[in-house]
Coordinates of all heavy atoms in Angstrom, one line a residue:
M45 N 66.7 116.1 126.6 CA 66.8 114.7 126.4 C 67.1 114.0 127.7 O 67.9 114.5 128.5 CB 68.0 114.5 125.4 CG 68.1 113.1 124.9 SD 69.7 112.8 124.0 CE 69.4 113.9 122.6
S46 N 66.5 112.9 127.9 CA 66.7 112.1 129.2 C 68.1 111.5 129.1 O 68.7 111.3 128.0 CB 65.7 111.1 129.4 OG 65.7 110.2 128.3
E47 N 68.6 111.1 130.2 CA 70.0 110.5 130.2 C 70.0 109.2 129.5 O 69.1 108.3 129.8 CB 70.5 110.3 131.7 CG 71.1 111.6 132.2 CD 71.9 111.3 133.4 OE1 71.4 110.6 134.3 OE2 73.0 111.8 133.5
L48 N 71.0 109.0 128.7 CA 71.1 107.8 127.9 C 72.1 106.8 128.6 O 73.2 107.3 129.0 CB 71.5 108.1 126.5 CG 70.5 109.0 125.7 CD1 71.2 109.5 124.5 CD2 69.3 108.2 125.4
M49 N 71.8 105.6 128.6 CA 72.7 104.6 129.2 C 73.4 103.8 128.2 O 72.9 103.5 127.1 CB 71.9 103.7 130.2 CG 71.2 104.5 131.3 SD 71.4 103.7 132.9 CE 71.0 102.0 132.6
C50 N 74.6 103.3 128.6 CA 75.4 102.5 127.8 C 74.7 101.2 127.4 O 74.0 100.6 128.3 CB 76.7 102.2 128.6 SG 77.8 101.0 127.8
S51 N 74.8 100.7 126.2 CA 74.2 99.5 125.7 C 74.9 98.2 126.1 O 74.3 97.1 125.9 CB 74.0 99.5 124.2 OG 73.3 100.7 123.8
A52 N 76.1 98.3 126.6 CA 76.8 97.1 127.0 C 76.1 96.4 128.1 O 75.6 97.0 129.0 CB 78.3 97.5 127.4
K53 N 76.2 95.1 128.0 CA 75.5 94.2 128.9 C 75.9 94.5 130.4 O 77.1 94.4 130.7 CB 75.7 92.7 128.6 CG 74.8 91.8 129.1 CD 75.0 90.4 128.6 CE 73.9 89.4 129.1 NZ 74.2 88.1 128.6
G54 N 75.0 94.8 131.2 CA 75.3 95.0 132.6 C 75.9 96.3 133.0 O 76.1 96.6 134.2
C55 N 76.1 97.2 132.0 CA 76.7 98.5 132.3 C 75.6 99.5 132.6 O 74.6 99.6 131.9 CB 77.5 98.9 131.1 SG 78.4 100.5 131.4
R56 N 75.8 100.3 133.6 CA 74.8 101.3 133.9 C 75.4 102.7 133.8 O 74.9 103.7 134.4 CB 74.3 101.1 135.4 CG 73.6 99.8 135.5 CD 73.1 99.5 136.9 NE 72.5 98.2 137.0 CZ 71.2 98.0 136.6 NH1 70.5 99.0 136.1 NH2 70.7 96.8 136.7
E57 N 76.5 102.8 133.1 CA 77.1 104.2 132.9 C 76.3 105.0 132.0 O 75.6 104.5 131.1 CB 78.5 104.0 132.4 CG 79.5 103.3 133.3 CD 79.7 104.1 134.6 OE1 79.9 105.4 134.5 OE2 79.8 103.5 135.7
V58 N 76.5 106.3 132.1 CA 75.8 107.2 131.2 C 76.6 107.1 129.8 O 77.8 107.1 129.8 CB 75.9 108.7 131.7 CG1 75.4 109.6 130.7 CG2 75.0 108.8 133.0
A59 N 75.8 107.0 128.8 CA 76.5 106.9 127.4 C 77.0 108.2 127.0 O 76.4 109.3 127.2 CB 75.5 106.4 126.4
E60 N 78.2 108.2 126.4 CA 78.8 109.4 125.8 C 78.9 109.2 124.3 O 79.1 110.2 123.6 CB 80.2 109.6 126.4 CG 80.1 109.8 127.9 CD 81.4 110.4 128.4 OE1 82.1 111.1 127.7 OE2 81.7 110.1 129.6
W61 N 78.8 108.0 123.8 CA 79.0 107.8 122.4 C 77.8 107.0 121.8 O 77.2 106.2 122.5 CB 80.3 107.0 122.1 CG 81.5 107.6 122.7 CD1 82.1 107.3 123.9 CD2 82.2 108.8 122.2 NE1 83.2 108.2 124.1 CE2 83.2 109.1 123.1 CE3 82.0 109.5 121.0 CZ2 84.1 110.1 122.8 CZ3 82.9 110.6 120.8 CH2 83.9 110.9 121.7
A62 N 77.6 107.3 120.5 CA 76.5 106.6 119.8 C 77.2 105.9 118.6 O 77.7 106.6 117.7 CB 75.4 107.6 119.4
L63 N 77.1 104.6 118.6 CA 77.6 103.9 117.4 C 76.5 103.6 116.4 O 75.5 103.0 116.8 CB 78.2 102.5 117.9 CG 79.6 102.6 118.6 CD1 79.6 103.5 119.8 CD2 80.0 101.2 119.0
R64 N 76.7 104.1 115.3 CA 75.6 104.0 114.2 C 76.0 102.9 113.3 O 77.1 102.9 112.7 CB 75.6 105.3 113.4 CG 75.5 106.5 114.4 CD 74.1 106.9 114.8 NE 73.4 107.6 113.7 CZ 72.1 107.5 113.5 NH1 71.4 106.9 114.4 NH2 71.5 108.2 112.6
W65 N 75.1 101.9 113.2 CA 75.5 100.7 112.4 C 74.4 100.2 111.6 O 73.2 100.6 111.7 CB 76.0 99.6 113.4 CG 75.0 99.1 114.4 CD1 74.7 99.7 115.6 CD2 74.2 97.9 114.3 NE1 73.8 98.9 116.2 CE2 73.4 97.8 115.4 CE3 74.0 96.9 113.3 CZ2 72.5 96.8 115.6 CZ3 73.1 95.9 113.5 CH2 72.4 95.9 114.7
N66 N 74.7 99.3 110.7 CA 73.8 98.8 109.7 C 74.2 97.4 109.3 O 75.3 97.1 109.0 CB 73.8 99.7 108.4 CG 73.0 99.2 107.3 OD1 73.5 98.3 106.6 ND2 71.9 99.8 107.1
N67 N 73.2 96.5 109.4 CA 73.4 95.1 108.9 C 72.8 95.0 107.5 O 71.6 95.0 107.4 CB 72.8 94.1 109.9 CG 72.9 92.7 109.4 OD1 73.4 92.4 108.3 ND2 72.7 91.8 110.3
P68 N 73.6 94.9 106.5 CA 73.1 94.9 105.1 C 72.1 93.7 104.9 O 71.3 93.8 103.9 CB 74.4 94.8 104.3 CG 75.5 95.2 105.1 CD 75.1 94.9 106.5
K69 N 72.2 92.7 105.6 CA 71.3 91.6 105.4 C 69.9 91.8 106.0 O 68.9 91.2 105.6 CB 71.8 90.3 106.1 CG 73.0 89.7 105.3 CD 73.5 88.5 106.0 CE 74.7 87.9 105.2 NZ 75.5 86.9 106.0
L70 N 69.8 92.8 106.9 CA 68.5 93.1 107.6 C 68.0 94.4 107.3 O 66.8 94.7 107.3 CB 68.7 93.0 109.1 CG 69.1 91.6 109.7 CD1 69.3 91.7 111.2 CD2 68.1 90.5 109.3
H71 N 68.9 95.4 106.9 CA 68.5 96.8 106.8 C 68.8 97.3 105.5 O 69.8 96.9 104.8 CB 69.3 97.6 107.9 CG 69.2 97.1 109.3 ND1 70.3 96.8 110.0 CD2 68.1 96.7 110.0 CE1 69.9 96.3 111.2 NE2 68.6 96.3 111.2
T72 N 68.0 98.2 105.0 CA 68.3 99.0 103.8 C 69.5 99.8 104.1 O 69.9 100.1 105.2 CB 67.1 99.9 103.3 OG1 66.8 100.7 104.4 CG2 66.0 99.0 102.9
A73 N 70.2 100.3 103.0 CA 71.5 100.9 103.1 C 71.5 102.2 103.9 O 72.5 102.5 104.5 CB 72.1 101.1 101.7
D74 N 70.4 102.9 103.9 CA 70.4 104.2 104.6 C 69.8 104.0 106.0 O 69.7 105.0 106.8 CB 69.6 105.2 103.8 CG 68.1 104.7 103.6 OD1 67.8 103.6 103.8 OD2 67.3 105.6 103.1
R75 N 69.4 102.8 106.4 CA 68.9 102.6 107.8 C 70.1 102.6 108.8 O 71.2 102.2 108.5 CB 68.2 101.3 107.8 CG 67.7 100.9 109.2 CD 66.2 101.2 109.3 NE 65.8 100.9 110.7 CZ 65.3 99.7 111.0 NH1 65.1 98.8 110.1 NH2 64.9 99.5 112.3
R76 N 69.9 103.2 110.0 CA 70.9 103.2 111.0 C 70.3 102.7 112.3 O 69.3 103.2 112.8 CB 71.5 104.6 111.2 CG 72.4 105.1 110.1 CD 73.7 104.2 109.9 NE 74.5 104.7 108.8 CZ 74.3 104.3 107.6 NH1 73.4 103.4 107.3 NH2 75.1 104.8 106.6
K77 N 71.0 101.7 112.9 CA 70.7 101.3 114.2 C 71.7 102.0 115.1 O 72.8 102.4 114.7 CB 70.9 99.8 114.4 CG 70.0 98.9 113.5 CD 68.6 99.0 113.9 CE 68.4 98.1 115.2 NZ 66.9 98.2 115.6
T78 N 71.3 102.2 116.4 CA 72.2 103.0 117.3 C 72.5 102.2 118.5 O 71.5 101.7 119.2 CB 71.6 104.3 117.6 OG1 71.4 105.1 116.5 CG2 72.5 105.1 118.6
W79 N 73.7 102.0 118.9 CA 74.1 101.5 120.2 C 74.7 102.6 120.9 O 75.5 103.4 120.4 CB 75.1 100.3 120.0 CG 74.5 99.0 119.8 CD1 73.2 98.7 119.6 CD2 75.3 97.8 119.5 NE1 73.1 97.4 119.4 CE2 74.3 96.8 119.3 CE3 76.6 97.5 119.5 CZ2 74.7 95.5 119.1 CZ3 77.0 96.2 119.3 CH2 76.0 95.2 119.1
L80 N 74.4 102.7 122.2 CA 75.0 103.7 123.0 C 76.2 103.1 123.9 O 76.1 102.0 124.3 CB 74.0 104.3 124.0 CG 72.8 104.9 123.2 CD1 71.7 105.3 124.2 CD2 73.2 106.2 122.5
A81 N 77.2 103.9 124.1 CA 78.4 103.4 124.8 C 79.0 104.4 125.7 O 79.0 105.6 125.3 CB 79.4 102.9 123.8
C82 N 79.4 104.0 126.9 CA 80.2 104.8 127.8 C 81.6 104.8 127.2 O 81.9 104.0 126.3 CB 80.1 104.4 129.2 SG 80.9 102.7 129.5
D83 N 82.5 105.6 127.8 CA 83.9 105.7 127.4 C 84.5 104.3 127.4 O 85.3 103.9 126.5 CB 84.6 106.7 128.2 CG 85.1 107.9 127.4 OD1 84.9 107.9 126.2 OD2 85.7 108.7 128.0
A84 N 84.2 103.6 128.5 CA 84.9 102.3 128.7 C 84.5 101.2 127.7 O 85.2 100.3 127.4 CB 84.6 101.8 130.1
H85 N 83.3 101.3 127.2 CA 82.8 100.3 126.3 C 82.8 100.6 124.8 O 82.4 99.8 124.0 CB 81.3 99.9 126.7 CG 81.3 99.0 128.0 ND1 80.7 99.4 129.1 CD2 81.8 97.8 128.2 CE1 80.9 98.5 130.0 NE2 81.5 97.5 129.5
R86 N 83.1 101.9 124.6 CA 83.1 102.3 123.2 C 83.9 101.4 122.3 O 83.5 100.9 121.2 CB 83.6 103.7 123.1 CG 83.8 104.2 121.6 CD 84.4 105.6 121.6 NE 84.6 105.9 120.2 CZ 85.2 107.1 119.8 NH1 85.5 108.0 120.7 NH2 85.3 107.3 118.5
T87 N 85.2 101.2 122.7 CA 86.1 100.4 121.8 C 85.6 98.9 121.7 O 85.6 98.3 120.6 CB 87.5 100.4 122.4 OG1 87.9 101.7 122.6 CG2 88.5 99.6 121.5
H88 N 85.1 98.3 122.8 CA 84.6 97.0 122.8 C 83.4 96.9 121.8 O 83.4 95.9 121.0 CB 84.1 96.6 124.2 CG 83.4 95.3 124.3 ND1 84.1 94.1 124.3 CD2 82.1 95.0 124.3 CE1 83.2 93.1 124.3 NE2 82.0 93.7 124.4
L89 N 82.5 97.8 121.8 CA 81.3 97.7 121.0 C 81.7 98.0 119.5 O 81.2 97.4 118.6 CB 80.2 98.6 121.5 CG 79.6 98.2 122.8 CD1 78.7 99.3 123.3 CD2 78.9 96.9 122.7
E90 N 82.6 99.0 119.4 CA 83.1 99.3 118.0 C 83.8 98.1 117.4 O 83.6 97.8 116.2 CB 84.1 100.5 118.0 CG 83.4 101.8 118.1 CD 84.4 103.0 118.1 OE1 85.6 102.8 118.2 OE2 83.9 104.1 117.8
N91 N 84.6 97.4 118.1 CA 85.3 96.2 117.6 C 84.3 95.1 117.2 O 84.5 94.5 116.2 CB 86.3 95.7 118.6 CG 87.5 96.6 118.8 OD1 87.7 97.5 117.9 ND2 88.3 96.4 119.8
F92 N 83.3 94.9 118.0 CA 82.2 93.9 117.8 C 81.6 94.3 116.4 O 81.4 93.4 115.6 CB 81.2 94.0 118.9 CG 80.1 92.9 118.7 CD1 80.2 91.7 119.3 CD2 79.0 93.3 118.0 CE1 79.2 90.7 119.1 CE2 77.9 92.3 117.9 CZ 78.1 91.1 118.4
L93 N 81.2 95.5 116.2 CA 80.5 95.9 115.0 C 81.5 95.9 113.8 O 81.1 95.5 112.7 CB 79.9 97.2 115.2 CG 78.7 97.3 116.1 CD1 78.3 98.7 116.4 CD2 77.5 96.5 115.6
S94 N 82.7 96.4 114.0 CA 83.6 96.4 112.9 C 84.0 95.0 112.4 O 84.2 94.8 111.2 CB 84.9 97.1 113.4 OG 84.7 98.5 113.7
A95 N 84.1 94.1 113.3 CA 84.4 92.7 112.9 C 83.4 92.1 112.0 O 83.7 91.2 111.2 CB 84.5 91.8 114.2
R96 N 82.1 92.6 112.1 CA 81.1 92.2 111.2 C 80.8 93.2 110.0 O 79.8 93.0 109.3 CB 79.8 92.0 112.0 CG 79.9 90.8 112.9 CD 79.0 90.9 114.2 NE 79.2 89.8 115.0 CZ 80.2 89.7 115.9 NH1 81.1 90.6 116.0 NH2 80.3 88.6 116.7
S97 N 81.6 94.2 109.9 CA 81.5 95.2 108.9 C 80.1 95.9 109.0 O 79.6 96.3 108.0 CB 81.6 94.6 107.5 OG 82.9 94.0 107.4
F98 N 79.6 96.1 110.3 CA 78.4 96.7 110.5 C 78.5 98.2 110.8 O 77.6 99.0 110.6 CB 77.6 96.1 111.6 CG 77.1 94.7 111.3 CD1 76.4 94.0 112.3 CD2 77.2 94.2 110.0 CE1 76.0 92.7 112.0 CE2 76.7 92.9 109.7 CZ 76.1 92.1 110.8
L99 N 79.7 98.6 111.4 CA 79.8 99.9 111.9 C 79.9 100.9 110.8 O 80.7 100.8 109.9 CB 81.1 100.0 112.8 CG 81.3 101.3 113.5 CD1 80.2 101.6 114.5 CD2 82.7 101.3 114.2
R100 N 79.1 102.0 110.9 CA 79.2 103.1 109.9 C 79.8 104.3 110.5 O 80.6 105.0 109.8 CB 77.7 103.4 109.4 CG 77.1 102.3 108.7 CD 77.9 101.9 107.4 NE 77.3 100.8 106.7 CZ 77.7 99.5 106.9 NH1 78.6 99.2 107.7 NH2 77.1 98.5 106.2
E101 N 79.5 104.7 111.7 CA 80.1 105.9 112.3 C 79.9 105.9 113.8 O 79.0 105.2 114.3 CB 79.6 107.2 111.7 CG 78.0 107.3 111.9 CD 77.5 108.6 111.3 OE1 78.3 109.5 111.0 OE2 76.3 108.7 111.1
T102 N 80.8 106.6 114.5 CA 80.6 106.9 115.9 C 80.5 108.4 116.1 O 81.3 109.1 115.6 CB 81.8 106.3 116.7 OG1 81.9 104.9 116.4 CG2 81.5 106.5 118.2
V103 N 79.4 108.8 116.8 CA 79.2 110.2 117.1 C 79.0 110.4 118.6 O 78.7 109.5 119.3 CB 78.0 110.8 116.3 CG1 78.2 110.6 114.8 CG2 76.7 110.1 116.7
S104 N 79.2 111.6 119.0 CA 78.9 112.0 120.4 C 77.4 111.9 120.6 O 76.6 112.2 119.7 CB 79.4 113.4 120.7 OG 78.8 113.9 121.8
V105 N 76.9 111.5 121.7 CA 75.5 111.4 121.9 C 74.9 112.8 121.8 O 73.7 113.0 121.5 CB 75.1 110.9 123.3 CG1 75.3 109.4 123.4 CG2 75.8 111.6 124.4
A106 N 75.7 113.9 122.1 CA 75.2 115.2 121.9 C 74.8 115.6 120.5 O 74.0 116.4 120.2 CB 76.2 116.2 122.4
D107 N 75.4 114.8 119.5 CA 75.2 115.0 118.1 C 74.1 114.1 117.5 O 73.8 114.2 116.4 CB 76.4 114.8 117.3 CG 77.5 115.9 117.7 OD1 77.1 117.0 118.1 OD2 78.7 115.6 117.5
L108 N 73.5 113.3 118.4 CA 72.4 112.4 117.9 C 71.2 113.2 117.6 O 70.8 114.1 118.4 CB 72.1 111.4 119.0 CG 72.7 110.0 119.0 CD1 72.0 109.2 120.1 CD2 72.6 109.4 117.6
P109 N 70.5 112.8 116.5 CA 69.2 113.4 116.3 C 68.2 113.0 117.3 O 68.3 111.9 117.9 CB 68.8 112.8 114.9 CG 70.0 112.2 114.3 CD 70.9 111.9 115.5
D110 N 67.2 113.8 117.6 CA 66.3 113.5 118.7 C 65.4 112.3 118.5 O 64.8 111.8 119.4 CB 65.4 114.8 118.9 CG 66.1 115.8 119.7 OD1 67.1 115.5 120.4 OD2 65.7 117.0 119.7
D111 N 65.3 111.9 117.2 CA 64.3 110.8 116.9 C 64.9 109.4 117.0 O 64.3 108.5 116.6 CB 63.7 111.0 115.5 CG 64.8 111.0 114.4 OD1 66.0 110.9 114.8 OD2 64.4 111.1 113.2
T112 N 66.1 109.3 117.6 CA 66.7 108.0 117.7 C 66.5 107.4 119.1 O 66.4 108.1 120.0 CB 68.2 107.9 117.3 OG1 68.8 108.9 118.1 CG2 68.3 108.1 115.9
Ligands
ZN324 ZN1 79.4 100.9 129.4

């Protein structure tokens, strides 16, 4: 797998976390979008998604399926 970068704006850190989320207005219930986060941005991005009730789970990037 190539190196994955944090999804936070302007951040170039290597991602360590994958935030799996779903917007019920746009996505079917079993669909998952993925945001990648470095350690520093994990909480920030989790809070953003949690505030909108979009966050479903956070996993290590090592545990991500290859097709995402
Ligand atoms: Zn970051």
Side-chain angles (χ1 to χ4, degrees):
M45 191 188 294
S46 57
E47 273 196 315
L48 300 168
M49 297 224 315
C50 177
S51 300
K53 199 171 183 181
C55 181
R56 298 179 182 280
E57 295 295 318
V58 174
E60 301 196 28
W61 302 102
L63 283 56
R64 312 273 282 155
W65 63 276
N66 173 283
N67 180 349
K69 289 182 178 163
L70 299 178
H71 308 125
T72 55
D74 58 350
R75 179 94 183 271
R76 289 293 180 273
K77 302 288 286 181
T78 301
W79 277 359
L80 300 171
C82 66
D83 246 357
H85 285 115
R86 174 187 175 178
T87 304
H88 172 78
L89 293 173
E90 280 184 344
N91 287 346
F92 181 91
L93 291 170
S94 293
R96 289 156 183 80
S97 301
F98 290 173
L99 185 63
R100 294 299 178 266
E101 59 179 343
T102 302
V103 299
S104 164
V105 289
D107 294 333
L108 264 187
D110 280 340
D111 61 355
T112 51

